[in-house]
Amino acid sequence: DAKTTQPPSMDCAEGRAANLPCNHSTISGNEYVYWYRQIHSQGPQYIIHGLKNNETNEMASLIITEDRKSSTLILPHATLRDTAVYYCIAGGSNYKLTFGKGTLLTVNP
Amino acid sequence: NAGVTQTPKFQVLKTGQSMTLQCAQDMNHEYMSWYRQDPGMGLRLIHYSVGAGITDQGEVPNGYNVSRSTTEDFPLRLLSAAPSQTSVYFCASRERARNTEAFFGQGTRLTVV
């Protein structure tokens, strides 16, 4: 798995977009980027993943740079319930996900 | 469709006791894994299975055993509990197809005294 680097914490105002960065400069060509989040010690929850193209689903958007060395998870209208630890994972296999310490996103009213 | 179910949710053990953490999934996923999470840390892989009858060690396997007799169940056994095994344990399952999402249980919070 490629090493990922994320800021330890970020703040966001409720209703505004939250942009969470992730650096994965050693990612190889066939490795996907995954984002999961963990709300208050619950089980991690899948958000989105992508390879090269930008991706969007009902929860978030994922922007991957052209050189694939970094990505940004965008929560378009953050709510208080989006307060969580967000994990960026680069690579991994079907049986293993390598979790770092993630970014604690705090959404403030 | 319950997803991934872990039992119990909480458990206190005395040092030296043994116990089994249960994990069951109803999505017919071939891949299942056990992780532990210590305070302020990410999840670390203990053991995993790529199908019934097949298991292998992860990053931190010492002190734990697993078996996979059915697709649905993947129990984690603590052989002789130690205070260092105090942690939150998560079970996950995933399809065989590449690059699918993993589903996690809600965790078992274990304290060894």
Side-chain angles (χ1 to χ4, degrees), chain A residues 30 32 34 93-95, chain B residues 31 33 37 94 96 98-99:
Chain A
N30 62 351
Y32 280 69
Y34 301 86
S93 63
N94 278 30
Y95 59 85
Chain B
Y31 290 12
S33 308
Q37 185 174 32
R94 201 170 184 184
R96 172 186 285 272
R98 191 165 177 255
N99 304 312

Side-chain angles (χ1 to χ4, degrees), chain A residues 10-15 18 78-83 105-109:
Chain A
M10 295 182 64
D11 287 319
C12 177
E14 188 178 19
T79 71
L80 299 179
R81 288 176 293 182
D82 291 322
T83 292
L105 174 69
T106 303
V107 181
N108 300 304

Side-chain angles (χ1 to χ4, degrees), chain B:
Chain B
N1 190 339
V4 179
T5 302
Q6 290 184 237
T7 56
K9 287 186 171 54
F10 301 93
Q11 182 71 48
V12 179
L13 287 179
K14 293 183 179 179
T15 296
Q17 287 184 316
S18 62
M19 80 158 294
T20 300
L21 308 185
Q22 301 292 345
C23 175
Q25 52 94 6
D26 60 359
M27 297 172 282
N28 203 33
H29 287 169
E30 291 181 282
Y31 290 12
M32 296 186 73
S33 308
W34 276 103
Y35 296 82
R36 62 176 287 174
Q37 185 174 32
D38 299 312
M41 305 288 290
L43 282 70
R44 292 184 293 168
L45 183 67
I46 305 172
H47 283 287
Y48 65 94
S49 169
V50 300
I54 306 169
T55 65
D56 208 342
Q57 297 181 349
E59 183 184 354
V60 287
N62 292 340
Y64 307 95
N65 271 357
V66 291
S67 60
R68 185 97 180 270
S69 56
T70 66
T71 299
E72 294 77 19
D73 300 300
F74 191 43
L76 178 71
R77 297 183 186 85
L78 279 70
L79 308 172
S80 177
S84 61
Q85 294 178 304
T86 293
S87 190
V88 182
Y89 292 83
F90 292 100
C91 178
S93 75
R94 201 170 184 184
E95 291 180 9
R96 172 186 285 272
R98 191 165 177 255
N99 304 312
T100 56
E101 64 180 284
F103 292 82
F104 286 81
Q106 287 306 296
T108 294
R109 188 173 297 273
L110 176 69
T111 302
V112 182
V113 298

Side-chain angles (χ1 to χ4, degrees), chain A residues 18-84:
Chain A
N19 296 275
L20 291 89
C22 179
N23 182 287
H24 34 77
S25 58
T26 62
I27 194 170
S28 63
N30 62 351
E31 290 184 316
Y32 280 69
V33 178
Y34 301 86
W35 284 83
Y36 285 77
R37 72 180 183 184
Q38 189 173 25
I39 298 173
H40 197 245
S41 296
Q42 296 177 15
Q45 175 190 25
Y46 166 84
I47 302 173
I48 198 167
H49 73 280
L51 183 63
K52 296 180 182 178
N53 300 321
N54 299 337
E55 302 286 346
T56 296
N57 63 20
E58 65 277 5
M59 289 182 67
S61 295
L62 173 60
I63 309 297
I64 303 173
T65 58
E66 191 169 347
D67 63 7
R68 301 207 334 116
K69 292 185 177 181
S70 66
S71 61
T72 301
L73 178 74
I74 301 172
L75 307 178
H77 305 287
T79 71
L80 299 179
R81 288 176 293 182
D82 291 322
T83 292

